[in-house]
Amino acid sequence: MTPIIKVNNLMFSYPNGVVALRNINLEINKGEIVAIIGHNGSGKTTLVKTFNGLLKPTSGEVLINGVSTKNENTAKLSKIVGYVFQNPDDQIFNNSVYNEVAFGPGNLNLKKEEINKRVLNALEIVGLEKDKKMHTLDLSLNKKKLVTIASIIAMNPEVIILDEPSSGQDHEGTVKIEALIKELQKNHTVIIISHDMNLVSKVASRVIVMWDSNLIFDGDKRTAFMNSDLLKKTDVSPPIITQLAQKIKGFRKDILTADEFIDEIIKLKK
Amino acid sequence: MPRTILISYIERDSLIHKLNPLTKLTALICVIILAFILGPVNNLILFALILPLSYISKLTWDVFKPIRYLLIIFAILFSIQGLFYPFRLTPLYTIPFTNIIIWKEGIIYAAEISARLLVMMVYGFLFVLTTHPGDLVNALRKLKMPYKVGYIVLSTLHVIPSIQMQVETIIDAQKSRGLDVSGNIIKRLRAYVPLLGPLFIGSVQQAVERTMALEARAFSADCEKTSFRQTVFRKRDRNIIIATVIISVTVGVLSWIY
């Protein structure tokens, strides 16, 4: 099976000469939830921008379903790779939630009924059915984020990229987004960029670590959170519960959730 | 990270960078006045003089980059003036099989304006690229310019690159939602409509927040203000100003007489 995204020897430098990506190789398969983590400026956002053709490789190639992005424009690639930007205010411009979500599918040359179906479906997935007539300016930040995600879901791309989905979200918002990402996995491949290790540990199965324009780790999240050198280098702290477990003698070092923690206590008691 | 080249200060260690902003400003004003007095040929000579200056300022080709934005204006100028200049007398060229005549006077007039624009653009650009906005405002404040006006000047210079970056992000966000920004001009203009909302709202929001952030740092405090960046008015600044003014007046008067 061809991977949905395949990156070969990707290099990218900005016109001012700053090298943002060095020799990146990776494959992302259908149905995965991949988290990309790393410092600010490590190249995470640049990397995902090459996935939908916003940025073209300086050398090397990015293949989407086996086709190079080189000669494809973003408008076309957006049918396969949807990208939700970090700041909702950069993309929301319509007067109502419904119209905002309908903008993407409208660009795909679909029939009216199909657009309507998709918009309602997307709003239902993110839980905003009741707000469809609301003015976008009256929305809370939590809801604005959900609208931007819905606007990509409505385009029904195979891959959905979420840039910092939990930034600026309160606890309630983060919990909703967690659930939403798990829901999205049923029909989509999901890539998240995040600094929120709680979120990463809960939703992702695979972690890609970027550091100084290089990909320095690509693998299972438990392996990543146990690799102290890696964590030190990138200044990432694993979730609190993992840190706690790692300090207790006799505990497994790769615990990620409260449930696993409790299981471990019960096991030790016996 | 911006993909287009920003029109803003570029740090270099050069004589022109070290000059007092007022010196450069005076020279710029002299050049602009000269550009209006001189004819197209002399303006082109004036334009050529930017070469040694850009070499001294260690900017090399950066100064010439904005010229590409002028090309459209030149194209419009030459076609409209060439065809419809009101004081047309001498036909220069008749487009075959039509009655469309290009007039000599119109072309000359367009050349005059273009040369002027060219000179003003490159020298203005040299000024912006070699002068730190903070230094400019400092220098102007020493001439008793009110602090608030100084801030307006400074923020204007800051706001252009920041809006440029914002526009890029917004365009990217909409492209990611299938917005096609290619095609003919009407299609493209229509495609840009979705960008205006976020841009205006974002700019207003930013302005409001910036005001509060400034007030939180005692912007309107009623006392003498000092600055971190210091500008010095050296002897060479005085000499350069005197020399520039004398040369400009001489050249101006000479070209006016002949």
Side-chain angles (χ1 to χ4, degrees), chain B:
Chain B
M1 182 78 60
R3 257 166 285 149
T4 44
I5 311 295
L6 298 178
I7 303 171
S8 61
Y9 177 67
I10 298 176
E11 180 101 49
R12 291 279 194 290
D13 183 25
S14 84
L15 175 69
I16 296 187
H17 281 76
K18 281 184 202 140
L19 287 178
N20 190 292
L22 294 178
T23 314
K24 287 181 264 187
L25 193 60
T26 320
L28 179 65
I29 293 169
C30 286
V31 169
I32 291 175
I33 295 173
L34 271 185
F36 275 97
I37 297 173
L38 299 177
V41 179
N42 288 332
N43 259 329
L44 286 181
I45 298 173
L46 193 55
F47 171 69
L49 285 177
I50 196 82
L51 276 169
L53 287 176
S54 71
Y55 178 75
I56 298 171
S57 65
K58 296 182 184 166
L59 291 169
T60 57
W61 299 110
D62 291 320
V63 178
F64 299 98
K65 278 179 185 154
I67 292 179
R68 59 182 170 183
Y69 301 117
L70 274 183
L71 291 178
I72 301 172
I73 300 177
F74 289 166
I76 297 172
L77 257 177
F78 274 94
S79 46
I80 292 186
Q81 296 299 342
L83 295 172
F84 307 116
Y85 186 64
F87 310 109
R88 51 186 182 251
L89 290 168
T90 342
L92 190 71
Y93 181 70
T94 312
I95 297 174
F97 313 116
T98 59
N99 292 330
I100 302 170
I101 302 166
I102 296 169
W103 301 87
K104 193 182 168 192
E105 288 77 10
I107 294 295
I108 293 175
Y109 182 70
E112 268 173 22
I113 296 184
S114 306
R116 248 173 233 161
L117 280 175
L118 205 59
V119 167
M120 289 192 280
M121 184 105 171
V122 286
Y123 281 91
F125 209 55
L126 180 73
F127 176 76
V128 173
L129 290 184
T130 58
T131 311
H132 190 284
D135 289 344
L136 173 63
V137 171
N138 256 336
L140 290 172
R141 271 182 51 212
K142 282 192 183 159
L143 291 181
K144 299 274 177 280
M145 185 183 68
Y147 188 65
K148 279 183 183 163
V149 178
Y151 178 75
I152 293 171
V153 174
L154 192 65
S155 63
T156 315
L157 291 171
H158 267 301
V159 113
I160 296 167
S162 97
I163 286 188
Q164 216 173 350
M165 277 198 264
Q166 215 189 336
V167 168
E168 245 164 50
T169 315
I170 295 170
I171 291 181
D172 282 354
Q174 307 303 7
K175 273 192 199 161
S176 303
R177 295 206 285 161
L179 181 74
D180 197 354
V181 287
S182 58
N184 65 37
I185 194 149
I186 292 169
K187 221 178 140 192
R188 261 200 251 174
L189 283 177
R190 280 182 60 181
Y192 281 111
V193 172
L195 314 178
L196 298 176
L199 184 63
F200 282 132
I201 292 166
S203 303
V204 172
Q205 266 174 358
Q206 268 178 24
V208 171
E209 265 173 43
R210 196 173 300 129
T211 319
M212 289 193 276
L214 281 171
E215 280 314 324
R217 290 180 290 165
F219 179 75
S220 333
D222 198 13
C223 61
E224 185 61 31
K225 284 168 185 174
T226 52
S227 172
F228 174 68
R229 293 188 75 96
Q230 295 297 324
T231 48
V232 203
F233 195 83
R234 295 189 187 83
K235 219 173 180 179
R236 66 170 180 226
D237 285 301
R238 195 198 62 190
N239 295 343
I240 290 176
I241 290 184
I242 293 172
T244 324
V245 172
I246 290 176
I247 294 172
S248 307
V249 170
T250 324
V251 173
V253 169
L254 283 177
S255 85
W256 191 56
I257 292 171
Y258 295 104

Side-chain angles (χ1 to χ4, degrees), chain A residues 14-16 18 49 52 54-55 73-75 78 83 85 89-93 100 103-104 107 137 151-152 155, chain B residues 1-5 166 169-182 193-195 197-198 201 205:
Chain A
Y14 283 99
N16 59 6
V18 176
K49 278 186 177 171
N52 75 342
L54 282 174
L55 300 176
N73 66 19
T74 304
S78 66
Y83 179 16
F85 274 61
D89 290 328
D90 283 339
Q91 67 170 68
I92 293 180
F93 69 96
E100 183 64 35
F103 175 74
N107 284 329
L137 289 176
S151 72
I152 296 297
M155 297 178 75
Chain B
M1 182 78 60
R3 257 166 285 149
T4 44
I5 311 295
Q166 215 189 336
T169 315
I170 295 170
I171 291 181
D172 282 354
Q174 307 303 7
K175 273 192 199 161
S176 303
R177 295 206 285 161
L179 181 74
D180 197 354
V181 287
S182 58
V193 172
L195 314 178
I201 292 166
Q205 266 174 358

